[in-house]
Amino acid sequence: MSTSTPSAAGDERIKERSRLRNALVRPELGGICGTVLVFTFFLLTAADSGMFSPTGFLNWGTVSAQFAIIAVGACLLMIAGEFDLSVGSMIGFAGMSIAILGVTFGLPIWLAIVITFVLCTLIGGLSGYIVVKTGLPSFIVTLAFLFILRGFTIFLPQLIERKTIIGGISDAAEGDWLAPLFGGKVLNGLFVWLGDAGLIETFSRGSRQGQPVVDGVPMLVIWALLLIIFGHILLTRTRFGNWIFAAGGDAEAARNSGVPVDRVKILMFMFTAFCATVFATCQVMEFGSAGADRGLLKEFEAIIAVVIGGALLTGGYGSVIGAALGALIFGVVQQGLFFAGVESSLFRVFLGVILLMAVILNTYIRRLITGEK
Amino acid sequence: MSQPIIQMKSIEKHFGAVIALAGVSVDIYPGECHCLLGDNGAGKSTFIKTMSGVHKPTKGEILFEGQPMNFAVPRDAMNAGIATVHQHLAMIPLMSVSRNFFMGNEPVKKIAGIPFFDHEYANEVTMAEMRKMGINLRGPDQAVGTLSGGERQTVAIARAVHFGAKVLILDEPTSALGVRQTSNVLATIDKVRKQGIAVVFITHNVRHALAVGDRFTVLNRGSTYGTATRGDVTPEELQDLMAGGQELATLEGSLGGTV
């Protein structure tokens, strides 16, 4: 609009764009819309079911945090142009590794956790290395790891303990310095104070009479928040973040410009494995046991959260905040249907529908950004 | 003109039994636009890849600023100031212009010892550089995908110049462009040349070459007929040299001299 903007920089072929349209062209749009929609829906249908009481809050907050932890890893990896289908198996494997090392072999829990983190991150790095060096689709390579890791997770405890669930982790973790970082709760004092001040409910009878119904924020939630903040800053505010976008957008073009594409991709595979291990460690500390079937289908849940959050399956575009919102929608709906008294199998129907809607919306947004027809 | 910035002396390149280049000699001077013409398969691409460090010559010598050049990897050539703008652009459509502009060379600003991407600086430089090249962006966060082919070429050229290119190799920058976009790119080449940068412009379009070229080297089947200076050569002569004379002359006759 050269008439309305008489500056030399004006170009009559570039139409002024409304702020609304600019706001539309953001990866988080789908996530924001979905979040508003989901909360409105449950505020209307399940407000009196206790879903928005402190316990209800904690309930779906924790579930959302679980999704968020693996979604952050999957999100950065997807933006870097790759998938990891072995996340669920990695969760089972990492949990079993901690249990075998800590309970069966009697290592201190902190050492079992450290060894597991190193081991799992290296396995993630290995699948990344294979993807980068062979040029095979990460879909196939990590599908192989899905089966390999799950197989070991079932085989090893049977070989060593003749069972598929190893318990006794709570006892082993007693007094350990590292375990509370995954299984503990923080801000206990705040909730006691809130309870005393009458701001939140307290138990009115029983052995815990007078204590607040919510006794702290699980470390799982703290991990989720830390990973989201870390992932978001890494992606948007560092040069490495630029390399992640570049590696996923067009690996060849990125290489021509001197971006170490292979290194970026392998590191992102390692980060995804790290996130899966965080999830597994929190879960093992909470349950006090490791089971061979833990983490089943988690890879797909992570990918769905990421896609709802606006990332493109083809890579090069997406947002960690979006993925976190995707995880929040996921958690709220899964638990909300329970609060609203809806048959829980309908959750899967909802998942399918929202995934489809998200992908359609994303494709449309991509066209807006690139100006494709 | 002063000393040549690149001297290619009797370069030969063999790929197994195929002789891609059979002794080509070319001098490139700073501030000139040197057009490299040739039909498909003439050896243009092999020649510039040798110049930019992708291929090592089988025989012959390359001098860069008077020194024998021995680049192990293309990155060395880039660091020395030889930039190639590829046919397949090193641009990512989904990313913003400023993120693309600084891809691989991101400016960082340390906050509390942690290096962060300096978006403010990147945006400012990108807008300024693009304005210099005559492109008005909606904003530095505009996605490259929304730019036209010619504008993308210009971003790639501006980027190479900003990061200190002394020799700019353009591999058929105009081959897929419309008339208007082509003239934009040719105008950009002219601006770059006036900054004292040597431009090597690869094309098989004689008219594009004549529009900006100072000197012309025609490659044909791996060898050259030498270099002609602007004014010494007619479009028809260049066209004939590229096609190897004979056949095209006959063809041209039947098409009424329109090729």
Side-chain angles (χ1 to χ4, degrees), chain A residues 38-320:
Chain A
V38 161
F39 273 97
T40 316
F41 177 77
F42 284 110
L43 276 171
L44 292 176
T45 59
D48 51 354
S49 66
M51 184 176 171
F52 297 98
S53 70
T55 26
F57 226 100
L58 187 70
N59 179 300
W60 53 257
T62 310
V63 173
S64 300
Q66 287 181 351
F67 288 127
I69 287 175
I70 46 174
V72 171
C75 176
L76 291 183
L77 185 64
M78 196 184 286
I79 296 172
E82 306 290 343
F83 284 109
D84 189 351
L85 294 184
S86 67
V87 167
S89 299
M90 185 66 86
I91 289 170
F93 182 81
M96 196 52 79
S97 161
I98 292 172
I100 290 176
L101 292 171
V103 177
T104 312
F105 293 169
L107 292 181
I109 287 295
W110 67 266
L111 189 58
I113 294 175
V114 169
I115 292 176
T116 301
F117 265 97
V118 172
L119 178 68
C120 292
T121 315
L122 284 180
I123 294 173
L126 175 67
S127 54
Y129 182 80
I130 295 174
V131 167
V132 164
K133 287 300 160 195
T134 60
L136 290 170
S138 52
F139 175 80
I140 295 298
V141 173
T142 57
L143 185 65
F145 273 92
L146 183 156
F147 286 105
I148 294 169
L149 290 175
R150 182 64 70 192
F152 276 126
T153 311
I154 301 169
F155 172 74
L156 290 176
Q158 281 185 319
L159 181 78
I160 299 168
E161 292 241 345
R162 302 203 164 275
K163 52 188 180 187
T164 52
I165 295 179
I166 296 182
I169 294 171
S170 309
D171 297 336
E174 198 69 50
D176 192 87
W177 63 271
L178 188 59
L181 217 58
F182 295 93
K185 289 187 175 181
V186 291
L187 298 180
N188 195 308
L190 175 70
F191 285 93
V192 171
W193 179 79
L194 285 173
D196 290 345
L199 290 172
I200 60 172
E201 289 172 56
T202 51
F203 288 105
S204 52
R205 51 175 176 264
S207 59
R208 294 173 67 192
Q209 189 177 353
Q211 291 179 16
V213 286
V214 176
D215 59 353
V217 177
M219 277 308 291
L220 184 82
V221 176
I222 306 297
W223 271 102
L225 292 176
L226 286 179
L227 284 171
I228 292 166
I229 294 167
F230 170 78
H232 180 69
I233 291 177
L234 181 74
L235 188 63
T236 57
R237 297 264 168 260
T238 68
R239 59 183 309 186
F240 193 84
N242 208 38
W243 294 352
I244 296 176
F245 280 121
D250 185 340
E252 202 48 51
R255 268 190 207 104
N256 281 343
S257 306
V259 174
V261 173
D262 293 357
R263 204 171 86 208
V264 170
K265 289 195 172 185
I266 292 173
L267 279 172
M268 285 302 101
F269 272 103
M270 294 173 81
F271 182 66
T272 309
F274 175 86
C275 290
T277 314
V278 170
F279 181 103
T281 313
C282 290
Q283 197 182 43
V284 162
M285 291 307 149
E286 191 195 338
F287 290 2
S289 68
D293 62 342
R294 294 275 163 76
L296 222 50
L297 290 181
K298 284 290 171 208
E299 54 279 342
F300 292 110
E301 293 173 355
I303 289 171
I304 293 171
V306 173
V307 172
I308 294 174
L312 290 177
L313 286 162
T314 42
Y317 189 72
S319 127
V320 173

Side-chain angles (χ1 to χ4, degrees), chain B residues 72-85:
Chain B
V73 287
R75 187 82 215 172
D76 290 350
M78 276 161 137
N79 291 339
I82 302 177
T84 312
V85 173

Side-chain angles (χ1 to χ4, degrees), chain A residues 9-10 14-15 17 233 235-239 242-243 245-246 249-250 253 256-259 312 315 366 369-370, chain B residues 75 78 86 89-95 99 103-106 108 115-117 119 136 138 143 145-146 151 159:
Chain A
I14 298 173
K15 278 195 245 165
R17 274 188 173 175
I233 291 177
L235 188 63
T236 57
R237 297 264 168 260
T238 68
R239 59 183 309 186
N242 208 38
W243 294 352
F245 280 121
D250 185 340
N256 281 343
S257 306
V259 174
L312 290 177
R366 198 245 284 266
I369 308 163
T370 59
Chain B
R75 187 82 215 172
M78 276 161 137
H86 291 276
L89 283 168
M91 286 279 147
I92 295 174
L94 282 167
M95 282 164 65
R99 275 182 179 274
M103 183 167 59
N105 292 299
E106 293 83 358
V108 290
F116 286 100
F117 190 136
H119 281 292
N136 297 306
R138 194 180 296 125
T146 58
E151 288 171 328
R159 177 170 69 179

Side-chain angles (χ1 to χ4, degrees), chain A residues 3-52:
Chain A
T3 47
S4 58
T5 50
S7 71
D11 186 329
E12 77 285 358
R13 292 169 307 166
I14 298 173
K15 278 195 245 165
E16 291 273 337
R17 274 188 173 175
S18 68
R19 277 167 185 246
L20 178 70
R21 196 183 144 106
N22 278 338
L24 273 176
V25 187
R26 290 192 63 84
E28 296 93 351
L29 175 72
I32 293 169
C33 291
T35 310
V36 171
L37 209 71
V38 161
F39 273 97
T40 316
F41 177 77
F42 284 110
L43 276 171
L44 292 176
T45 59
D48 51 354
S49 66
M51 184 176 171
F52 297 98

